Amino acid sequence: MASIAAAKVQEVREITRIERIGAHSHIRGLGLDDSLEPRNVSQGMVGQLTARRAAGVVLEMIKEGKIAGRAILLAGQPGTGKTAIAMGMAQALGQDTPFTSMAGSEIYSLEMGKTEALTQAIRKSIGVRIKEETEIIEGEVVEVQVDRPATGVGTKVGKLTLKTTEMETIYDLGGKMIECIMKEKVQAGDVITIDKATGKISKLGRSFTRARDYDATGPQTRFVQCPEGELQKRKEVVHTVSLHEVDVINSRTHGFLALFSGDTGEIKAEVREQINAKVAEWREEGKAEIVPGVLFIDEVHMLDIECFSFLNRALENEMAPVVIMATNRGITRIRGTNYMSPHGIPIDLLDRMNIVATKPYEEKELKEILKIRCEEEDCEMSDDALTVLTRIAGETSLRYAIQLITTSGLVSRKRKSNEIQMEDIKRVYSLFLDENRSMQFLKEYQDEFMFNDIADAGDAMDVADG
Amino acid sequence: MITVKSQPPVAGENLPITSSNWIAYLSSAQKSCLVENGVRKVHYNLPDGKEMVEEYNLQTNVLQRRMWKVSDTVRGEKWNVEVGDQLPQFDNIDSVGIQENSTAPMLSKRITKTNIEWRIRNLPYARDVYSVTADDDGITVRTSNKKYFKKITVPELNRVGLQTDGSLLSFTHQFNTLIITYKKPPKVLEMEAKVLEMVKTISPTKIPDIKNAPDQCKPS
């Protein structure tokens, strides 16, 4: 059973493999079965059974899409898997439901106000599923030609030659489209589709006629037939755009391409009102469907009292998404006031939330997580080294133990071993200090550091959870 | 998720194809008419919410242009040209993103007294490269060098419930232009005459003649 699951995980990884490994890249879902019962180890998730079960119930609610404006708070100590659960939910929701992830401190931007940032985040989390007939261009790339001006500055000029089995046409490209093509690494021999309305490029694969171009191709390379007939086709497509995207398209003269550059700035309230009315109209006509998504605010205690009261109001809107927040704070000061409150969140907002608690991991679970991370980071570890590492995780923190995986992996590779042994762990344990030992060290040698006399004020320091 | 609709992007594609009740469909519309520069312009507000504009030459009574208003769910509205030259595009390439090169073949349709004609400009290949055939849902243009391919629908025939007939079809090539001619069958001629008759009954809206206005008001 376990081996089948492992094999499945391996298979998924082949497709979604990206070059870099993030802190939560091992998470592929919530690890629940059909009756929403959590499996102990599944889809990269370990333990936290009640929290995962609760997340599963929330997920059902989101999928039904009827309930708007619910708030969920994930509360727990640092390193107990709050972000992991949110990521798991995002994965389980799939591509079609908008999931916006932001950190609480992201709203403090110089370019836009706090409430504007929050409004944009909320509108990014509401999808509009639009059914429309669009013109798409589908063909095999014959040539991509991009000319940069000799001076290096100024607009680039681009040409794209596409063909089908029957015809061949040259297209002119605008600056943003050139960037898209560069980003997608489109090259001769690729079969691509371009949605004329949104400018979205998607690669379907490589043409069969080009199968012998290279001796070696990656496992992901998919070979497809060169398309037939006309290059431009009309297709009825259903695409999900977020309300924010519709806002941007309608607020700027240069249209949808602002989405790619990201320079959206503040959007006027009138534009939003118009869009809301328009969307409501489409909904009545049956042209569009609202897909309420999820807004995940990590480190929610970093929001201040203004944001909380804004959220309070925003959650009452019928177009509001489900808001999931995560915090690792206990009873603390609400930012922007001198009042203390549980989780640093005002009581009136807390009252509207469903609170899901995450508990510290047990030793067995720590071992499972470390094992998954070893696999994710491509490190092999001997059993006793893993036991030692688990002990370290229990005594210091899970994050510290995870940091030691790759570092000890590098140490073991230096001594030409493929497997991490206990000695490697010991070596990196002595090389890198954990939080406690670092504090110990500071206390011992306090006098020799600079500005040691103001150390008493240090208790107000913020330690953020990643 | 994606379903293919086999309608090619010919000018005026999403038409209400309802064969013989085309005249009934048009006459049920709210019509207004304007005579200007030797052209009779007729605007139809159709009962199903569509909008259509026709332009008739006053001398020849031939339809010069027919356009349909298409509203795009996200990006406002535009006009789709069914008959006549395409509307000029002044959009900057940076705002459009992608468009055909100016050397790419361009199709336009025009109607004469006896024929329906399509011109495909920017086709520099020799005449024997092309093959133009009639099939069930229209006319197909092919090139033996695989440079150009197009399926053309003929809404006029659909409206009277006819299929394309290969014997009425002919084509010539000169000045880098492929000209495809389809001789109008009697049924089409008959329908056009009826529509014209209906159009002529609409009394044109008076517009003030600014050029020859009595000079009561003299702007300084």
Side-chain angles (χ1 to χ4, degrees):
Chain A
M1 176 68 199
S3 66
I4 295 170
K8 247 184 194 162
V9 165
Q10 196 65 34
E11 193 184 291
V12 171
R13 213 169 92 181
E14 279 297 317
I15 304 162
T16 54
R17 183 87 201 203
I18 39 167
E19 285 155 47
R20 294 175 63 84
I21 299 162
H24 294 107
S25 54
H26 59 284
I27 290 176
R28 281 165 214 99
L30 279 173
L32 305 174
D33 60 19
D34 291 338
S35 56
L36 293 186
E37 285 305 326
R39 299 189 202 95
N40 203 9
V41 181
S42 172
Q43 297 186 309
M45 300 289 278
V46 180
Q48 299 301 359
L49 299 181
T50 46
R52 272 161 58 200
R53 166 105 217 222
V57 174
V58 173
L59 204 66
E60 275 313 291
M61 183 174 85
I62 298 165
K63 275 185 184 158
E64 268 178 32
K66 283 192 186 133
I67 307 284
R70 282 297 159 84
I72 318 289
L73 178 68
L74 295 169
Q77 292 91 327
T80 51
K82 296 178 296 295
T83 313
I85 286 177
M87 292 296 162
M89 287 177 84
Q91 297 273 4
L93 278 172
Q95 288 280 316
D96 249 10
T97 313
F99 185 94
T100 320
S101 177
M102 67 182 288
S105 40
E106 258 174 57
I107 58 158
Y108 302 102
S109 153
L110 286 177
E111 270 172 26
M112 56 178 89
K114 287 182 275 192
T115 51
E116 171 70 19
L118 271 179
T119 313
Q120 287 198 2
I122 286 174
R123 288 178 82 86
K124 270 182 204 162
S125 327
I126 300 170
V128 187
R129 201 173 286 150
I130 302 173
K131 202 194 291 173
E132 64 175 354
E133 209 172 67
T134 53
E135 274 179 17
I136 64 152
I137 305 169
E138 183 178 68
E140 181 187 326
V141 179
V142 180
E143 192 185 12
V144 190
Q145 187 191 339
V146 176
D147 298 324
R148 287 179 192 78
T151 51
V153 285
T155 48
K156 293 177 196 163
V157 186
K159 277 198 176 71
L160 176 71
T161 314
L162 290 176
K163 71 165 185 183
T164 66
T165 50
E166 306 277 2
M167 67 183 291
E168 192 175 310
T169 303
I170 302 169
Y171 290 93
D172 289 334
L173 300 174
K176 295 280 160 55
M177 196 59 102
I178 294 174
E179 271 173 38
C180 289
I181 282 187
M182 298 292 206
K183 214 161 90 190
E184 291 279 331
K185 299 202 182 77
V186 172
Q187 51 171 334
D190 288 341
V191 176
I192 60 169
T193 62
I194 301 172
D195 186 340
K196 258 194 140 179
T198 60
K200 201 173 139 197
I201 300 176
S202 39
K203 257 199 223 184
L204 299 181
R206 276 190 75 74
S207 171
F208 268 117
T209 50
R210 301 287 192 131
R212 285 165 190 277
D213 275 14
Y214 305 109
D215 290 339
T217 49
Q220 293 102 318
T221 313
R222 195 156 38 126
F223 288 103
V224 292
Q225 292 290 355
C226 181
E228 291 174 354
E230 282 176 69
L231 271 165
Q232 272 196 48
K233 291 170 185 141
R234 291 189 71 87
K235 278 190 182 177
E236 177 137 294
V237 288
V238 177
H239 47 199
T240 314
V241 290
S242 71
L243 271 184
H244 174 69
E245 284 168 316
V246 183
D247 286 348
V248 172
I249 289 167
N250 287 281
S251 71
R252 283 291 177 115
T253 42
H254 52 254
F256 67 87
L257 290 159
L259 283 175
F260 297 112
S261 56
D263 52 349
T264 56
E266 293 210 5
I267 290 164
K268 289 196 189 85
E270 300 92 83
V271 174
R272 292 221 168 93
E273 262 163 43
Q274 274 176 18
I275 301 296
N276 284 352
K278 202 83 205 190
V279 168
E281 196 181 294
W282 295 343
R283 222 167 130 193
E284 257 160 43
E285 288 170 6
K287 277 189 203 158
E289 208 181 308
I290 304 280
V291 192
V294 178
L295 170 62
F296 173 58
I297 310 177
D298 211 348
E299 311 286 320
V300 73
H301 49 263
M302 295 304 287
L303 299 184
D304 61 11
I305 186 76
E306 291 163 39
C307 300
F308 286 127
S309 72
F310 178 80
L311 272 180
N312 242 345
R313 185 77 193 84
L315 285 177
E316 279 168 8
N317 192 324
E318 61 158 0
M319 295 268 256
V322 171
V323 182
I324 298 175
M325 304 179 219
T327 181
N328 53 16
R329 296 299 154 93
I331 296 173
T332 181
R333 205 166 55 84
I334 304 169
R335 198 171 161 153
T337 66
N338 286 319
Y339 298 106
M340 304 286 276
S341 182
H343 310 296
I345 299 172
I347 302 284
D348 56 340
L349 183 57
L350 268 179
D351 195 32
R352 284 159 206 251
M353 292 201 257
N354 294 335
I355 301 177
V356 177
T358 54
K359 290 186 291 290
Y361 289 108
E362 284 162 25
E363 186 162 326
K364 218 170 64 195
E365 293 163 349
L366 288 175
K367 196 168 184 174
E368 250 352 289
I369 296 174
L370 288 171
K371 216 192 268 171
I372 292 172
R373 286 305 303 181
C374 282
E375 219 169 84
E376 184 70 22
E377 294 178 24
D378 270 337
C379 294
E380 271 183 45
M381 194 174 281
S382 67
D383 282 344
D384 36 342
L386 190 63
T387 316
V388 170
L389 198 62
T390 313
R391 274 263 297 290
I392 292 176
E395 276 162 25
T396 62
S397 76
L398 178 57
R399 287 225 166 77
Y400 175 70
I402 288 175
Q403 317 270 32
L404 294 188
I405 293 174
T406 295
T407 41
S408 59
L410 288 172
V411 168
S412 77
R413 219 174 297 158
K414 277 279 165 259
R415 49 172 199 96
K416 306 228 164 23
S417 159
N418 285 330
E419 204 181 45
I420 301 168
Q421 301 294 343
M422 216 179 351
E423 50 186 296
D424 303 315
I425 300 280
K426 278 184 184 158
R427 180 142 175 78
V428 287
Y429 185 72
S430 64
L431 282 175
F432 301 103
L433 298 183
D434 60 275
E435 181 204 340
N436 279 329
R437 276 187 295 154
S438 172
M439 212 153 79
Q440 199 76 40
F441 176 80
L442 285 181
K443 274 184 189 150
E444 269 172 45
Y445 297 98
Q446 215 189 114
D447 303 338
E448 286 154 46
F449 281 91
M450 283 175 71
F451 307 124
N452 55 37
D453 45 323
I454 49 169
D456 302 331
D459 54 355
M461 202 176 67
D462 264 352
V463 183
D465 173 33
Chain B
M1 195 181 90
I2 295 168
T3 52
V4 187
K5 251 194 170 176
S6 62
Q7 280 212 353
V10 183
E13 54 273 57
N14 35 11
L15 303 173
I17 297 167
T18 44
S19 63
S20 53
N21 35 21
W22 173 247
I23 295 169
Y25 179 68
L26 285 191
S27 53
S28 68
Q30 206 181 50
K31 293 174 282 280
S32 55
C33 173
L34 189 73
V35 176
E36 197 181 40
N37 302 334
V39 174
R40 184 197 302 274
K41 298 178 179 176
V42 188
H43 179 265
Y44 296 83
N45 258 331
L46 292 155
D48 53 359
K50 288 186 171 137
E51 269 183 69
M52 195 253 281
V53 164
E54 286 181 337
E55 287 178 16
Y56 291 90
N57 190 316
L58 274 184
Q59 256 106 49
T60 59
N61 280 330
V62 167
L63 183 70
Q64 285 183 339
R65 188 190 276 284
R66 178 182 286 143
M67 301 193 291
W68 294 84
K69 194 187 217 167
V70 202
S71 61
D72 185 310
T73 351
V74 185
R75 274 160 299 275
E77 47 202 30
K78 56 170 189 176
W79 287 91
N80 250 356
V81 182
E82 184 194 314
V83 178
D85 285 331
Q86 292 294 322
L87 295 176
Q89 291 266 319
F90 300 108
D91 291 337
N92 185 355
I93 178 71
D94 273 331
S95 65
V96 181
I98 186 166
Q99 72 185 18
E100 271 123 345
N101 191 274
S102 53
T103 59
M106 213 174 67
L107 175 86
S108 68
K109 175 179 172 185
R110 84 166 55 156
I111 291 180
T112 63
K113 274 217 157 116
T114 51
N115 299 321
I116 306 172
E117 281 180 6
W118 292 267
R119 275 146 211 272
I120 307 174
R121 302 198 169 83
N122 288 336
L123 275 181
Y125 320 109
R127 189 188 184 279
D128 51 343
V129 167
Y130 310 102
S131 76
V132 180
T133 50
D135 47 32
D136 290 348
D137 45 349
I139 298 166
T140 310
V141 185
R142 284 190 183 80
T143 48
S144 60
N145 59 3
K146 305 291 179 201
K147 291 290 185 194
Y148 187 75
F149 176 87
K150 184 99 189 163
K151 282 199 156 172
I152 304 170
T153 51
V154 194
E156 282 82 358
L157 296 181
N158 289 332
R159 283 170 199 148
V160 293
L162 287 176
Q163 299 272 319
T164 26
D165 181 357
S167 62
L168 299 173
L169 194 64
S170 63
F171 69 98
T172 55
H173 182 264
Q174 58 178 347
F175 310 126
N176 283 349
T177 305
L178 182 75
I179 304 168
I180 303 162
T181 316
Y182 190 88
K183 198 167 177 302
K184 286 186 205 165
K187 260 186 159 176
V188 173
L189 287 168
E190 199 180 304
M191 185 194 70
E192 281 183 347
K194 275 185 188 159
V195 173
L196 186 67
E197 214 171 280
M198 179 178 73
V199 163
K200 277 183 170 167
T201 59
I202 314 165
S203 55
T205 321
K206 290 266 186 299
I207 49 161
D209 191 350
I210 296 166
K211 268 183 202 155
N212 305 320
D215 38 16
Q216 291 168 329
C217 165
K218 280 184 182 162
S220 55

